[in-house]
Amino acid sequence: MDEQQQTLLNFMWEQSDKLLIQMLQHIGLTFISLFAAVLIGVPLGILIARKKELSGTVLSVAGILQTIPSIALLGFMIPVLGIGAKPAIVALFLYALLPIIRNTYTGITGVNPAVKEAAVAMGMSEWQTLFSVELPLATSVILAGIRTATVINVGVATLASYIAAGGLGEFIFGGISLNNTNMILTGAIPAALLALLFDFLLSRAQRLSFKTVGTAMKIAPALLILLASLYFIPSAYGGKLTAGFTPEFMGRQDGNLGLQSKYGLTIHTIVISDAVMYKAAYENQLDIISGYSTDGRLKAYDLFTLQDDKGIFPPYYAAPIVSNKALRKFPQLEKTLNLLSDKINDSIMTDLNYRVDYLHQSPEKVAKDFLMANNLWRQEANSNTGIIRLGSKIFGEQYILANIYSMLIKGYTNYGVATKTGLGGTKICFDALTNDQIDLYPEYTGTGLLTILQPTQRTIDSLAGDKDKTYQYVKKEFQRRYAVKWLKPIGFNNTYALMMRQKQAQDLGIETISNLKHYLESN
Amino acid sequence: MIKVQNVSKSFGNTDAVKDISFEVKAEENLILLGPSGCGKTTTLKMINTLIKPSAGTIYIDGRDVMHQSPTILRRSIGYVLQNNGLFPHFTVAQNIAVVPQLLKWEKRRTEKRIRELLEKLHLSPNYLQAYPHELSGGQQQRVGLARALVADPPLLLMDEPFGALDNVTRSKIHDEFKALDELKRKTIIMVTHDVQEAFELGDRICLMDKGAIVQAGTPTELLFKPINTFVSDFLKEQRLSLEFKTIQLLDLWNWLPAGNNQQQMNTLSAETDLWTGLESFKFNEVEVICILHHQKNEFRTVEFEQLMAAFYQYKRTLSNG
Ligand SMILES: Nc1ncnc2c1ncn2[C@@H]1O[C@H](COP(=O)(O)OP(=O)(O)OP(=O)(O)O)[C@@H](O)[C@H]1O
Ligand SMILES: [Mg+2]
């Protein structure tokens, strides 16, 4: 409850160091890409204003680039440019291109032909006409394009944190996965203010009279470069090894906070989404990552789990959580879901995940094969007495569990099933459950404890990382606060783990987290 | 000075100019006159190569314009655009300084020249830092003229330079135009579709229709020896006033009653046009005016009716001859 009572301003004040860095990164990302887009977009706009037959092609290509969803575009960039600033800047650059090219084109072709002709008739060369007549007259239209591009970029730059490029997105997405509204706002408010500020400043620049526009045009490039260089200031520190942690891991006591307090581990850390984290480690972009012990990609990418020799990553159970209302409405439900209790241990779960994450089998097939092998599979019965709404989060393990439950319900009861898989994160899933949008989803006791309940440090200490005590506490509290019931654990332990590439771990002789700390300090 | 030889221009299927030829002598004022769309602007723009002819050749001082650097050529030709075409983002001073800047004049020289021109064109130096949109239409025209004149080019091309003005302002500017010493030494080709303007300002007139020259000649020739009905119809509406303005008192000398050969108060030069002569009766509220023939050093004192009678007799001899 601590964090919820804290006011937003307190939080911002506490995080002001980080906030400043992220803001500078954000401004930097925005303006590096903007600078590049101006450098390429304006000449391209001029070119197509001269050679109109090219304008259709160039504008539609730029238009198509802009319609690619931001996350997808960032995803495409990773295999080519890796993670971090480079792909983010390229993606932002591509988004900024269209408004700049288009407005340069409209601005130049919109110059009164009589005025252009006057320039030629006075004896100006083509370049002289361009620089002393066409560009100055098109300035306000071009600036409008740059203004649009800036606002787009400030917005899209929040997504840069997905691929470890920093920026205010770190707070926003961290806040979403940690169920921390203050954290979301600490990122979102400055991002919105930046957009408004730049929009305002550029709108002023646009309205400058011809008298001042000349000087403004001379200052503008210098200003752009200055703002762009902000990005490099915070990233001046280095380090031998680079860690990539998810926003959720960054903010959890059984995550980076514990690493710092219990191990005293300090390492150059970047924040990254777990969707790309494993691959980035595999491709040598990252050395240490915060994975889940049962994740299939551990095996897929030949990663090695460091031993947690001080026990900061307590094991947690996974179990379905169901609203009391649904349990009353569907009397056979609890019994059916508990069919899976104690059926999946660590190695089975890892194997199932591996099939989905690495062998690319469908979660449905993996689920059915598993049930068959365990003699739990039953043909679908008639479903005519109501529909159960099943949710899941957005990664492989949750898809598999959702499919298994769906098949069990269909086989053992008369209920139908509607699945709502791929709910973005803990907060989104849990809110859907308490708002009666879904009836159940698989959850982990660690997440229930640290992300949803957020008890005092004393309470956490009293549970002492004991998985059964934790389960009992979480079950009691969920029932009391949310009228949600934790059913029996599925069996496997889900816990955070630090991972490295197998080969690198061997080469450096690192087996435990303490080894890692020692290595970092001695080098 | 300028020789246009069998020049044609077509835009796609439109023949804007069809095989025209004419010459302009140094310091002559040639008017391209004709209805809208007859190819006047196109003809003018081919002279400074803003438009490339489809066929034919244009010579300035014996050199083919197409064989010269277009920018250097254009800097040596003053050009006044149809709708003044001032640069909206330049001040008046910057607008006028465009060509000197291209010619890399010293700053002091440019400034001096601009001040000189403003004075001649009756523009206050207060306007130097103003932008074109802050000026009246007439002031804009003057700035456009100043811009064309600033480098003192021997050749001036003007495309309806007074087109956007009301009649009163226009006739005032006409008078200033004729009085401007800057223009006396220049070869000028001016486009207009205003017959009055053509007759008032032109030494010679090329009357065009549908891309071709119908008749080229002095105002008197066009007026009194039209080669076809297009020419006479084109002038018909304003014939009488044109005639009054074209004919000089000198032309009527033989039909003016002799005698009373002595100078009086209201003496006009025989080089005055008939229009002014007739107006002076009313203007000075007199019964008779006195006319002085400088070469012959003779006077004629005439009444209004006598002047008109002489005019009709003169016209009769023209149409007989
Ligand atoms: N760039 C062009 N493309 C196609 N047709 C043109 C072009 N310029 C002129 N024309 C055509 O050529 C003809 C002559 O045009 P021009 O501008 O020379 O006429 P003008 O005598 O100056 O008319 P106005 O008195 O209206 O200015 C017109 O029929 C016009 O439509
Ligand atoms: Mg014209």
Side-chain angles (χ1 to χ4, degrees):
Chain A
M1 291 302 288
D2 256 353
E3 283 204 328
Q4 279 164 350
Q5 283 158 0
Q6 205 176 22
T7 67
L8 176 61
L9 284 178
N10 271 338
F11 184 86
M12 284 186 165
W13 178 246
E14 232 168 57
Q15 303 280 327
S16 58
D17 280 359
K18 229 164 136 193
L19 182 59
L20 183 70
I21 289 177
Q22 291 188 10
M23 204 139 80
L24 293 181
Q25 283 177 334
H26 205 93
I27 298 172
L29 278 176
T30 304
F31 283 93
I32 294 172
S33 51
L34 195 68
F35 183 64
V38 170
L39 227 55
I40 303 290
V42 170
L44 214 54
I46 294 169
L47 177 77
I48 60 173
R50 287 274 186 276
K51 297 195 187 307
K52 294 224 174 57
E53 63 272 17
L54 294 178
S55 64
T57 324
V58 171
L59 287 174
S60 24
V61 170
I64 289 167
L65 285 176
Q66 189 144 58
T67 60
I68 303 175
S70 348
I71 297 280
L73 189 58
L74 291 172
F76 291 145
M77 296 283 162
I78 294 171
V80 194
L81 296 168
I83 56 165
K86 256 187 289 171
I89 289 168
V90 172
L92 290 173
F93 159 79
L94 292 177
Y95 280 119
L97 267 184
L98 178 67
I100 294 179
I101 298 178
R102 190 185 45 206
N103 280 43
T104 307
Y105 173 76
T106 346
I108 298 239
T109 49
V111 172
N112 180 354
V115 172
K116 231 183 310 190
E117 183 165 63
V120 179
M122 295 302 119
M124 287 192 194
S125 68
E126 189 155 340
W127 288 108
Q128 285 164 333
T129 309
L130 179 66
F131 282 107
S132 45
V133 177
E134 289 173 289
L135 279 179
L137 288 176
T139 303
S140 85
V141 182
I142 297 177
L143 273 176
I146 295 179
R147 186 176 156 197
T148 314
T150 311
V151 175
I152 292 176
N153 272 10
V154 172
V156 178
T158 53
L159 299 177
S161 66
Y162 266 121
I163 52 169
L168 290 164
E170 280 187 22
F171 274 129
I172 299 175
F173 295 109
I176 291 175
S177 38
L178 291 167
N179 189 22
N180 182 337
T181 312
N182 283 340
M183 192 184 258
I184 298 176
L185 292 176
T186 299
I189 292 173
L193 289 179
L194 281 182
L196 288 174
L197 176 74
F198 292 135
D199 190 50
F200 172 74
L201 290 179
L202 282 162
S203 79
R204 293 300 296 264
Q206 230 178 308
R207 271 186 277 124
L208 288 181
S209 69
F210 288 127
K211 290 178 211 193
T212 33
V213 90
T215 21
M217 287 313 274
K218 276 168 213 141
I219 304 171
L223 203 65
L224 261 183
I225 293 173
L226 182 76
L227 288 170
S229 66
L230 289 179
Y231 187 76
F232 296 104
I233 297 168
S235 46
Y237 60 87
K240 279 206 72 146
L241 296 179
T242 302
F245 295 155
T246 62
E248 182 163 0
F249 184 83
M250 288 296 284
R252 270 172 67 156
Q253 195 54 50
D254 65 340
N256 196 37
L257 300 180
L259 275 181
Q260 285 170 352
S261 59
K262 295 271 168 59
Y263 283 97
L265 189 77
T266 47
I267 181 167
H268 174 222
T269 305
I270 57 182
V271 180
I272 188 167
S273 100
D274 66 346
V276 297
M277 180 176 68
Y278 293 91
K279 188 146 201 290
Y282 177 68
E283 285 175 349
N284 299 326
Q285 306 277 345
L286 296 171
D287 302 302
I288 318 281
I289 59 169
S290 60
Y292 283 107
S293 56
T294 51
D295 200 295
R297 289 168 289 191
L298 184 57
K299 200 164 155 191
Y301 291 128
D302 198 18
L303 299 176
F304 173 75
T305 306
L306 300 189
Q307 200 191 319
D308 174 21
D309 50 332
K310 291 195 180 166
I312 62 157
F313 300 140
Y316 295 117
Y317 285 126
I321 59 175
V322 196
S323 67
N324 288 350
K325 196 176 157 199
L327 288 175
R328 275 196 305 277
K329 196 168 158 197
F330 306 107
Q332 300 169 40
L333 183 59
E334 180 163 359
K335 198 176 73 200
T336 311
L337 296 176
N338 279 339
L339 283 172
L340 200 62
S341 133
D342 268 334
K343 289 289 186 309
I344 304 181
N345 63 22
D346 287 3
S347 62
I348 295 175
M349 194 67 239
T350 308
D351 180 58
L352 297 182
N353 282 335
Y354 173 73
R355 292 187 194 196
V356 171
D357 288 333
Y358 193 66
L359 302 179
H360 300 299
Q361 296 177 354
S362 73
E364 205 180 339
K365 176 178 160 35
V366 172
K368 189 172 171 184
D369 288 351
F370 167 80
L371 289 176
M372 298 270 229
N374 287 275
N375 290 323
L376 285 166
W377 167 256
R378 269 201 206 168
Q379 196 60 42
E380 194 168 327
N382 273 347
S383 58
N384 46 21
T385 46
I387 302 271
I388 290 169
R389 297 160 304 167
L390 196 59
S392 89
K393 297 185 198 176
I394 196 164
F395 54 91
E397 182 170 296
Q398 291 259 327
Y399 285 121
I400 298 169
L401 293 174
N403 271 286
I404 291 176
Y405 283 128
S406 164
M407 287 169 188
L408 287 175
I409 294 169
K410 284 177 184 165
Y412 287 80
T413 72
N414 298 328
Y415 310 137
V417 177
T419 46
K420 298 192 175 179
T421 52
L423 299 174
T426 301
K427 184 173 167 55
I428 294 168
C429 253
F430 186 68
D431 285 351
L433 182 67
T434 51
N435 289 317
D436 198 21
Q437 307 282 311
I438 57 174
D439 296 314
L440 72 120
Y441 76 92
E443 187 53 284
Y444 307 93
T445 53
T447 307
L449 179 71
L450 296 169
T451 305
I452 297 173
L453 293 175
Q454 300 182 358
T456 60
Q457 189 59 44
R458 263 229 331 271
T459 316
I460 295 174
D461 290 343
S462 76
L463 297 171
D466 183 306
K467 56 186 176 184
D468 291 312
K469 271 193 193 162
T470 306
Y471 176 76
Q472 291 308 330
Y473 175 81
V474 167
K475 187 174 175 178
K476 192 182 84 210
E477 284 299 308
F478 267 59
Q479 193 56 256
R480 190 172 68 82
R481 282 197 218 164
Y482 309 116
V484 166
K485 181 167 186 181
W486 284 80
L487 302 190
K488 288 187 187 161
I490 302 167
F492 64 91
N493 293 313
N494 177 287
T495 163
Y496 272 130
L498 286 195
M499 300 170 185
M500 296 178 74
R501 284 181 301 283
Q502 192 96 38
K503 177 152 191 315
Q504 190 183 32
Q506 262 167 25
D507 290 349
L508 302 179
I510 297 174
E511 285 182 8
T512 65
I513 298 178
S514 294
N515 288 164
L516 174 65
K517 174 184 155 63
H518 185 73
Y519 170 80
L520 287 169
E521 279 171 358
S522 61
N523 280 281
Chain B
M1 179 177 182
I2 293 168
K3 196 165 158 194
V4 174
Q5 215 169 43
N6 303 104
V7 167
S8 300
K9 174 70 193 180
S10 36
F11 299 104
N13 291 331
T14 341
D15 292 326
V17 171
K18 291 179 248 177
D19 192 26
I20 60 167
S21 302
F22 62 86
E23 281 185 40
V24 191
K25 290 196 271 301
E27 301 189 13
E28 194 179 25
N29 229 349
L30 179 87
I31 307 283
L32 296 176
L33 177 66
S36 188
C38 71
K40 306 181 295 290
T41 298
T42 308
T43 306
L44 199 68
K45 284 181 184 169
M46 286 192 287
I47 296 173
N48 67 356
T49 69
L50 283 178
I51 294 178
K52 320 263 171 277
S54 312
T57 323
I58 296 171
Y59 301 96
I60 296 180
D61 292 328
R63 295 174 62 203
D64 183 345
V65 290
M66 295 305 292
H67 291 163
Q68 304 178 39
S69 147
T71 51
I72 293 176
L73 175 78
R74 289 177 194 140
R75 288 168 201 174
S76 71
I77 301 176
Y79 188 69
V80 181
L81 280 88
Q82 187 155 2
N83 296 310
N84 84 48
L86 294 177
F87 301 116
H89 60 307
F90 282 180
T91 60
V92 167
Q94 288 169 326
N95 261 292
I96 302 178
V98 165
V99 179
Q101 209 149 46
L102 292 172
L103 295 173
K104 306 208 160 55
W105 281 16
E106 262 177 49
K107 213 173 158 204
R108 282 236 315 282
R109 181 177 169 202
T110 310
E111 278 171 6
K112 184 162 164 268
R113 174 66 177 148
I114 291 178
R115 265 198 305 274
E116 176 186 270
L117 266 177
L118 284 191
E119 201 180 312
K120 285 183 182 169
L121 291 170
H122 308 292
L123 269 171
S124 152
N126 296 340
Y127 289 121
L128 278 176
Q129 297 313 316
Y131 284 84
H133 68 90
E134 298 166 328
L135 304 180
S136 73
Q139 289 167 331
Q140 291 178 13
Q141 301 274 13
R142 288 163 209 250
V143 176
L145 187 57
R147 183 173 69 173
L149 288 175
V150 65
D152 202 13
L155 172 60
L156 197 56
L157 306 177
M158 309 176 87
D159 195 351
E160 310 211 17
F162 314 119
L165 302 182
D166 60 272
N167 284 334
V168 179
T169 322
R170 191 187 310 201
S171 66
K172 209 176 119 213
I173 287 198
H174 284 168
D175 293 339
E176 287 176 22
F177 186 85
K178 281 186 285 190
L180 204 63
D181 64 337
E182 288 271 343
L183 296 174
K184 298 242 159 75
R185 293 167 282 111
K186 294 204 185 305
T187 312
I188 298 174
I189 303 182
M190 183 192 291
V191 165
T192 182
H193 58 248
D194 176 350
V195 179
Q196 290 283 354
E197 186 168 271
F199 276 70
E200 210 167 314
L201 302 179
D203 295 325
R204 283 197 309 130
I205 297 172
C206 272
L207 181 57
M208 297 179 65
D209 183 35
K210 301 197 185 80
I213 295 180
V214 184
Q215 186 173 2
T218 62
T220 324
E221 282 168 349
L222 258 70
L223 202 51
F224 299 112
K225 290 173 187 158
I227 64 157
N228 60 20
T229 50
F230 173 81
V231 180
S232 46
D233 286 352
F234 197 80
L235 307 179
K236 193 166 68 191
E237 264 179 49
Q238 306 170 53
R239 168 162 289 276
L240 197 61
S241 76
L242 289 177
E243 288 178 351
F244 286 165
K245 281 176 180 167
T246 314
I247 294 172
Q248 294 183 336
L249 297 175
L250 199 67
D251 302 322
L252 308 179
W253 200 255
N254 293 337
W255 292 276
L256 293 176
N260 200 3
N261 197 350
Q262 67 188 64
Q263 187 159 10
Q264 293 210 349
M265 282 249 297
N266 305 301
T267 302
L268 292 173
S269 154
E271 274 145 37
T272 315
D273 61 64
L274 178 57
W275 178 273
T276 318
L278 292 170
E279 270 195 326
S280 71
F281 285 100
K282 205 178 144 218
F283 191 69
N284 296 322
E285 292 178 1
V286 290
E287 297 294 316
V288 289
I289 57 167
C290 179
I291 304 165
L292 167 65
H293 196 305
H294 289 286
Q295 280 100 28
K296 295 187 181 169
N297 198 20
E298 284 178 10
F299 289 95
R300 292 279 190 277
T301 307
V302 293
E303 294 175 6
F304 187 86
E305 284 75 19
Q306 290 171 325
L307 205 50
M308 287 303 284
F311 165 67
Y312 285 117
Q313 278 167 332
Y314 171 73
K315 271 189 72 174
R316 209 166 309 132
T317 51
L318 276 180
S319 45
N320 292 343

